[in-house]
């Protein structure tokens, strides 16, 4: 039968895609349409709707990968049908996940990187949950062994990403988020110690605080916990949430000790899809050694003829991101990652210096020593005639997505903007951004915004 006979009446195969019935009429949005339509017409329709989204490459608020090599696109396409949980059916995908775990363990200086345990996740959020659960189980075992109560677990942290608030609520652990004192942007040892007690399952240190991009001082926090242990006997482990920093520090801040070189660091999580450069949908969590991951959390599932140990919140999950992560590791090597991250850091520092010259803006983080990012606020003590929220809106007219938001607890009267420089944000693109920033500030100076300082809304 000729092909045009099996297409719907009124939709001959040769018609222009914008002249078919489905392009001509509005498709139902909240119920299934009655009939089948041509793939091409519907593809165009969906594709066109996506035009209304922001352009991810200009989204300077995201930490996540927005540019991948064509070869990674191809591998993603080739593995669209691979379920990473079917380890028996896709043993090479499982093996590749395993290799990535050990490469990352080695990158983070795990003492027995070849033997330790870890797994891939959907992102840092799941990785943090798994890290937190292991801490909770280990703490409970210690409490039971000591004949003590185990009904009031807590963890201590600085300004954490929202996944830790979720962990606290979903898994019934009190979150003790130490408020920022003075000019602090992260957890400080002297502030932390008052929040720790015998029910503390762990301290979460963040390498690359979401709000500003700074690193919390993991080594100094560990030292303070050593002192607590020698004073009171309470032994509190550290989990490092290195969502972004986990793939920055090993390359461009090699001398910084934040990882398993510190004995007290028992687990580390990171997002492969942030500075790990993999496409969206992969994170990693690694334990210092297998003894830190309680056996009880590992499920040995008999499935389709195989026995597989798993520790995950999901069951089915796409395997492509893991394969693309492996591609990145092999393709770039230490050398490639170092060059990319250094180029980002250089651009961030250059942009910071240029932003400071624009006049009304004052740097909060200048891009030096932590993530390739800059953070700034409006200079204090002056009515500028506009807020950073107005500036965000103005920048959006040129497609730039730059978030404005308040600093966390106790410093929430300070509104900041944060720009992340990541793979694909070249110096040239940053220059274009800077030009637009200068023009936007000039415009706002000449055209002050009425009531702009009245009540900035939170839209992080
Ligand atoms: C992004 C981020 C997370 C959450 O990571 P996802 O990969 O988006 O789930 C957790 N912690 C920190 C510090 C982050 O920056």
């Amino acid at each position: 039968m000729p092909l045009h006979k099996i297409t719907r009446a009124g939709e001959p195969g040769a018609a222009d895609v914008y002249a078919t019935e489905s392009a001509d009429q509005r498709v139902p949005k909240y119920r299934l349409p009655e009939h089948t339509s041509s793939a091409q017409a519907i593809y165009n329709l969906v594709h066109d709707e996506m035009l209304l989204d922001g352009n991810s490459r200009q989204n300077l608020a995201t930490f996540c990968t927005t540019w991948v090599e064509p070869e990674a696109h191809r591998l993603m396409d080739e593995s669209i049908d691979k379920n990473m949980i079917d380890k028996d059916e896709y043993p090479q995908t499982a093996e590749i996940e395993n290799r990535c775990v050990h490469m990352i363990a080695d990158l983070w200086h795990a003492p027995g990187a070849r033997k330790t345990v870890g797994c891939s996740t959907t992102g840092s959020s799941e990785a943090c949950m798994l890290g937190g659960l292991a801490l909770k189980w280990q703490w409970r075992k210690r409490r039971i062994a000591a004949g003590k109560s185990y009904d009031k677990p807590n963890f201590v942290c600085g300004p954490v990403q929202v996944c830790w608030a979720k962990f606290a609520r979903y898994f019934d652990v009190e979150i003790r988020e130490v408020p920022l004192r003075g000019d602090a942007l992260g957890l400080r040892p002297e502030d932390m110690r008052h929040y720790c007690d015998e029910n503390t399952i762990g301290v979460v240190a963040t390498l690359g605080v979401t709000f500003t991009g700074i690193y919390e001082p993991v080594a100094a926090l560990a030292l303070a916990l050593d002192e607590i242990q020698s004073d009171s006997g309470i032994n509190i482990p550290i989990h490092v949430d290195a969502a972004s920093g986990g793939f920055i520090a090993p390359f461009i801040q090699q001398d910084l000790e934040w990882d398993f070189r510190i004995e007290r660091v028992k687990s580390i999580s990171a997002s492969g899809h942030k500075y790990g450069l993999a496409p969206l949908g992969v994170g990693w969590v690694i334990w210092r050694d297998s003894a830190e991951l309680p056996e009880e959390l590992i499920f040995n599932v008999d499935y389709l003829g195989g026995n597989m140990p798993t520790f995950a919140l999901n069951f089915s999950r796409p395997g492509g991101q893991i394969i693309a992560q492996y591609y990145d590791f092999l393709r770039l090597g230490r050398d490639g990652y170092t060059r990319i991250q250094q180029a980002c850091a250089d651009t961030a520092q250059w942009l910071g210096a240029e932003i400071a010259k624009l006049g009304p803006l004052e740097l909060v983080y200048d891009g030096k020593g932590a993530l390739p990012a800059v953070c700034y606020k409006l200079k204090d003590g002056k009515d500028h005639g506009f807020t950073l929220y107005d500036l965000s809106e103005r920048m959006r007219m040129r497609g730039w997505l730059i978030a404005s938001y308040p600093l966390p607890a106790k410093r929430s009267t300070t509104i900041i903007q944060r720009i992340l420089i990541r793979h694909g944000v070249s110096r040239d693109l940053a220059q274009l951004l800077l030009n637009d920033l200068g023009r936007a500030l000039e415009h706002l100076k000449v055209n002050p915004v009425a009531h702009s300082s009245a009540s900035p809304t939170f839209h992080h």
Side-chain angles (χ1 to χ4, degrees):
M1 202 192 304
L3 270 179
H4 65 267
K5 283 267 175 60
I6 53 170
T7 58
R8 275 180 65 206
E11 290 201 11
D16 181 281
V17 286
Y18 291 101
T20 58
E21 200 173 295
S22 36
D24 232 17
Q25 295 176 359
R26 284 192 303 152
V27 291
K29 296 288 192 294
Y30 303 106
R31 58 174 172 79
L32 274 181
E34 286 306 316
H35 303 291
T36 306
S37 296
S38 108
Q40 206 189 5
I42 296 300
Y43 170 82
N44 277 59
L45 186 142
V46 176
H47 172 89
D48 289 356
E49 182 154 1
M50 305 320 288
L51 295 173
L52 301 185
D53 272 343
N55 170 12
S56 67
R57 297 285 301 283
Q58 282 183 288
N59 177 4
L60 302 174
T62 185
F63 291 88
C64 293
T65 303
T66 52
W67 187 83
V68 290
E69 288 186 318
E71 288 76 8
H73 277 276
R74 269 169 56 199
L75 286 170
M76 288 291 286
D77 195 30
E78 289 162 16
S79 36
I80 196 167
D81 55 349
K82 290 281 181 70
N83 189 348
M84 63 75 63
I85 203 71
D86 294 338
K87 295 182 197 253
D88 201 42
E89 291 74 10
Y90 310 123
Q92 287 325 109
T93 301
E95 169 60 15
I96 281 173
E97 180 193 20
N98 188 42
R99 288 178 200 162
C100 289
V101 162
H102 295 296
M103 282 185 190
I104 298 168
D106 179 59
L107 195 64
W108 294 342
H109 301 98
R114 203 47 208 89
K115 291 198 306 265
T116 195
V117 288
C119 58
S120 70
T121 59
T122 48
S124 275
S125 300
E126 187 187 5
C128 291
M129 308 270 168
L130 301 183
L133 282 170
L135 290 179
K136 184 177 175 183
W137 254 250
Q138 293 291 73
W139 167 81
R140 189 158 55 196
K141 277 201 271 187
R142 288 195 299 274
R143 298 289 290 174
I144 290 171
K148 292 187 170 161
S149 66
Y150 50 89
D151 56 347
K152 287 197 172 60
N154 69 71
F155 69 99
V156 174
C157 58
V160 276
Q161 209 265 355
V162 65
C163 70
W164 288 103
K166 284 189 183 174
F167 167 73
R169 197 171 310 165
Y170 295 172
F171 298 105
D172 213 9
V173 181
E174 180 197 348
I175 177 171
R176 294 187 175 169
E177 195 166 344
V178 179
L180 298 177
R181 273 201 308 144
D183 60 356
L185 294 172
L187 183 60
R188 292 191 299 203
E190 62 271 28
D191 300 336
M192 172 196 74
R193 45 175 70 246
H194 313 292
Y195 290 80
C196 295
D197 60 28
E198 60 178 6
N199 289 318
T200 303
I201 64 169
V203 166
V204 173
T206 306
L207 204 76
V209 171
T210 320
F211 299 89
T212 50
I214 63 117
Y215 293 167
E216 289 182 332
V218 186
L221 294 169
L223 218 56
L225 291 170
D226 289 347
E227 283 164 19
I228 289 177
Q229 186 173 3
S230 59
D231 292 349
S232 64
I234 304 171
N235 184 2
I236 300 173
I238 292 178
H239 173 93
V240 183
D241 176 355
S244 303
F247 289 107
I248 292 290
F251 302 112
I252 63 170
Q253 291 121 2
Q254 288 185 27
D255 294 336
L256 181 75
E257 297 209 351
W258 64 276
D259 54 14
F260 294 123
R261 281 169 287 183
I262 300 167
E263 177 78 36
R264 198 170 283 281
V265 172
K266 303 303 183 195
S267 49
I268 302 174
S269 53
S271 299
H273 58 217
K274 290 184 177 175
Y275 288 95
L277 309 181
L280 274 170
V282 65
W284 301 95
V285 54
I286 312 282
W287 282 270
R288 172 179 202 83
D289 55 61
S290 51
E292 297 299 336
L293 176 58
E295 279 286 327
E296 306 90 292
L297 288 175
I298 301 172
F299 280 77
N300 285 296
V301 186
D302 278 323
Y303 191 66
L304 299 180
N307 184 283
M308 54 176 194
T310 72
F311 184 27
L313 300 182
N314 286 66
F315 191 69
S316 295
R317 187 149 65 76
Q321 291 83 343
I322 296 162
I323 291 162
Q325 178 80 84
Y326 183 63
Y327 165 81
D328 286 328
F329 287 163
L330 291 193
R331 150 92 173 115
L332 296 170
R334 273 181 191 266
D335 205 40
Y337 270 92
T338 305
R339 272 181 224 216
I340 289 167
Q341 314 303 34
Q342 190 61 55
C344 289
D346 292 346
T347 295
Q349 290 163 23
W350 169 82
L351 185 65
E354 293 298 318
I355 283 174
K357 290 183 205 158
L358 291 175
L361 304 174
E362 180 185 325
L363 293 182
V364 173
Y365 168 57
D366 61 5
K368 294 188 182 135
L371 296 186
V374 284
C375 260
Y376 48 88
K377 58 177 188 172
L378 280 170
K379 280 181 183 159
D380 292 333
K382 181 173 183 286
D383 180 11
H384 295 272
F386 63 92
T387 65
L388 287 182
Y389 296 98
D390 299 321
L391 183 59
S392 283
E393 227 164 82
R394 193 82 207 151
M395 290 301 281
R396 190 145 191 168
M397 293 177 69
R398 291 277 290 171
W400 302 110
L401 304 169
I402 304 173
S404 302
Y405 50 89
L407 283 175
K410 290 264 164 83
R411 294 202 64 188
S412 60
T413 52
T414 302
I415 308 297
I416 60 167
Q417 277 187 353
R418 181 196 66 199
I419 292 178
L420 289 160
I421 305 295
R422 49 174 199 277
H423 196 200
V425 181
S426 63
R427 184 68 63 97
D428 199 61
L429 201 60
Q431 175 73 62
L432 296 170
L433 165 77
L434 183 70
N435 297 348
D436 282 339
L437 198 57
R439 268 196 291 270
L441 286 169
E442 204 51 46
H443 175 93
L444 289 166
K445 200 166 109 188
V446 181
N447 306 283
V449 182
H451 316 300
S452 63
S453 55
S455 60
T457 49
F458 181 77
H459 55 81
H460 178 201

